Amino acid sequence: MFENSANRTDLSSMGEFGLIDHIAQHFTPAQASTLKGIGDDAAVIAGNDQLTVVTTDMLAEGVHFDLAYMPLKHLGYKAVTVNLSDIYAMNATPRQITISIALSNRFSLEAIEEFYVGVGLACKKYGVDLVGGDTTSSQSGLVISVTAIGTVDKDHIVYRSGAKVNDLLCVSGNLGAAYMGLQILKREKKVFQENPQIQPDLEGHDYILERQLKPEARKDTVDALQKAGVVPTAMIDISDGLSSDVLHLCKHSKVACHIYEEKLPMDQGAFDSALDFNLSPVTCMMNGGEDYELLFTISPADYDKVKEIKDVVVIGHVTEGDTQAFLVDKSGQLHEVVAQGWNALN
């Protein structure tokens, strides 16, 4: 039955995470083995010596990817790695994946084989097995759903909810490059549509294009933390943008934080591209999304161990407060962080 329009609530007014919270309030786990349900990077299920973590992500054509510039092999690879990123964000090790796809008859067997070549390359690199899935038809473009399953020792599981006052806020890698790669791809698509005789100008942008088309999950960071004997107090992957994801971490941990502008890491090529597009590099780092880096907090006692880990930068610290974050600019002024990253329902 169709809804009564007089009582209609626009999903865009709620946002993706408002909708998730709304749905979650109606579901209380009934199984004792369900240790964590809706609300983190992955669900957590009790086992014997280890816990099982499970996450699902969906990619829809026209929303999450554009086949005008996304090669199918890259898409297959990305579909896997973005899910594995959620597993690593729980400080866990991915073991298996399932993939379900809905597609129309405009795709040939050879095209789908190309997609699964990318899937296979990601599986090989990260040591995971493709163990199942489903296929069906679609009248609205290609839709991909990936479920990833991983394991973690009980005393190594990390949630979004463990950050404590005075903890240090860290990030792996750099921010904003995937967003700038997307801007270049969109620009060149527009130029091609206006004049198909003009070849895309992608020279010199290899790194930021790869960050958009073929992102990697930060297995190396999780491995390095484990080798250093460091268990983060809280962790989340940066998929929706630093601004959105740091607020998720603050919300679940019931804390606030300060982020220092001068500490934010950005690739030089991404920085230069932002200026070319008349964009603020800081805005791109805070709101760009699709970085798939790890944002985590550590005890100050672990600083000496973490500072030696490659590609990990301390960008701020946790303070008293509730679900707030502040960006401290280079002059020392505080600016409240507002979630302006990716919102799937806008």
Side-chain angles (χ1 to χ4, degrees):
M1 182 180 292
F2 291 105
E3 59 195 308
N4 184 337
S5 59
N7 299 321
R8 188 178 190 278
T9 301
D10 249 346
L11 292 180
S12 60
S13 68
M14 302 182 70
E16 178 186 1
F17 295 97
L19 175 60
I20 291 171
D21 289 343
H22 181 78
I23 294 171
Q25 69 182 340
H26 299 291
F27 292 88
T28 301
Q31 300 293 327
S33 57
T34 304
L35 302 183
K36 184 69 177 179
I38 300 171
D40 215 299
D41 285 277
V44 181
I45 301 169
N48 293 321
D49 296 330
Q50 289 193 316
L51 306 176
T52 298
V53 295
V54 183
T55 184
T56 298
D57 203 12
M58 186 175 289
L59 300 174
E61 184 178 355
V63 178
H64 301 98
F65 61 89
D66 186 336
L67 291 177
Y69 49 72
M70 170 65 82
L72 283 167
K73 182 162 70 172
H74 286 67
L75 180 60
Y77 192 93
K78 183 173 182 176
V80 176
T81 59
V82 300
N83 267 67
L84 301 188
S85 183
D86 285 330
I87 298 293
Y88 290 121
M90 306 299 291
N91 204 35
T93 300
R95 304 294 185 187
Q96 295 89 17
I97 61 167
T98 66
I99 296 183
S100 296
I101 57 173
L103 66 164
S104 68
N105 59 10
R106 69 185 171 97
F107 290 94
S108 65
L109 171 63
E110 290 75 17
I112 298 307
E113 284 180 334
E114 189 74 0
F115 171 82
Y116 277 99
V117 166
V119 169
L121 289 171
C123 287
K124 182 177 181 180
K125 177 164 184 174
Y126 292 94
V128 300
D129 295 329
L130 174 62
V131 295
D134 191 19
T135 58
T136 188
S137 61
S138 168
Q139 297 182 4
S140 57
L142 179 62
V143 180
I144 306 155
S145 178
V146 180
T147 295
I149 304 162
T151 58
V152 59
D153 291 341
K154 292 179 180 179
D155 56 351
H156 286 169
I157 187 73
V158 177
Y159 298 102
R160 299 175 179 179
S161 56
K164 300 176 180 61
V165 174
N166 296 324
D167 279 356
L168 302 178
L169 186 67
C170 307
V171 68
S172 65
N174 59 72
L175 306 173
Y179 179 72
M180 291 318 307
L182 180 62
Q183 301 316 301
I184 290 171
L185 290 167
K186 285 183 173 180
R187 180 190 67 190
E188 295 307 311
K189 176 186 175 182
K190 183 178 179 182
V191 170
F192 178 78
Q193 289 175 330
E194 292 173 352
N195 187 348
Q197 303 304 314
I198 298 178
Q199 292 299 308
D201 180 15
L202 304 177
E203 188 175 350
H205 301 299
D206 291 358
Y207 176 73
I208 59 178
L209 291 172
E210 184 169 298
R211 291 279 282 170
Q212 170 58 221
L213 297 175
K214 185 177 170 287
E216 301 291 352
R218 293 314 300 245
K219 176 182 185 297
D220 58 332
T221 302
V222 171
D223 288 346
L225 288 168
Q226 292 176 354
K227 185 176 180 180
V230 175
V231 177
T233 53
M235 187 152 55
I236 185 172
D237 82 323
I238 304 176
S239 55
D240 300 310
L242 177 60
S243 62
S244 295
D245 290 319
V246 74
L247 288 173
H248 293 323
L249 192 149
C250 288
K251 174 184 175 181
H252 287 272
S253 293
K254 297 181 173 58
V255 296
C257 74
H258 286 177
I259 297 172
Y260 293 88
E261 177 187 338
E262 62 184 10
K263 300 293 186 182
L264 293 175
M266 192 175 202
D267 171 74
Q268 187 63 48
F271 181 90
D272 294 341
S273 293
L275 297 182
D276 289 343
F277 278 85
N278 293 316
L279 296 171
S280 161
V282 175
T283 300
C284 295
M285 287 187 284
M286 293 295 295
N287 303 325
E290 291 200 287
D291 293 307
Y292 300 105
E293 298 293 349
L294 295 175
L295 176 71
F296 58 96
T297 54
I298 61 168
S299 166
D302 286 328
Y303 171 70
D304 286 338
K305 298 176 183 177
V306 170
K307 72 178 183 180
E308 302 299 329
I309 297 177
K310 182 182 177 182
D311 289 342
V312 170
V313 179
V314 177
I315 62 170
H317 63 272
V318 178
T319 65
E320 292 184 356
D322 188 12
T323 318
Q324 281 184 301
F326 296 90
L327 180 67
V328 184
D329 67 22
K330 293 179 180 179
S331 66
Q333 296 294 310
L334 269 65
H335 307 270
E336 185 171 359
V337 173
V338 179
Q340 295 181 345
W342 167 257
N343 185 343
L345 298 181
N346 279 346

